[in-house]
Amino acid sequence: MLHLKNQSFQTLIDENRQQILGNKEEIEQIYKRLDQKAMLNDKRDANSPARN
């Protein structure tokens, strides 16, 4: 019985680990998109007539 409980906890842990890794990838993608948008905004600001 204890072995079954440990096994189901291990399964939950493994599932959570996979979910966390997926979330981590998603967050990294969001940061990359934000960085790209920030770079675009910086370029726009540099080219803006108000700056020159």
Side-chain angles (χ1 to χ4, degrees):
M1 186 67 184
L2 187 60
H3 176 71
L4 286 177
K5 274 191 179 180
N6 283 344
Q7 187 122 21
S8 53
F9 277 129
Q10 192 58 51
T11 302
L12 285 173
I13 290 168
D14 291 342
E15 288 170 3
N16 285 341
R17 184 175 288 125
Q18 287 305 309
Q19 193 173 357
I20 288 167
L21 289 174
N23 290 346
K24 181 177 179 259
E25 285 177 24
E26 238 180 281
I27 290 167
E28 287 171 350
Q29 291 301 317
I30 290 169
Y31 273 111
K32 282 180 190 171
R33 287 196 299 265
L34 286 173
D35 283 345
Q36 289 169 349
K37 286 182 181 184
M39 281 191 279
L40 282 176
N41 286 339
D42 287 348
K43 284 180 188 172
R44 277 193 213 124
D45 287 347
N47 293 330
S48 130
R51 285 273 211 182
N52 298 332

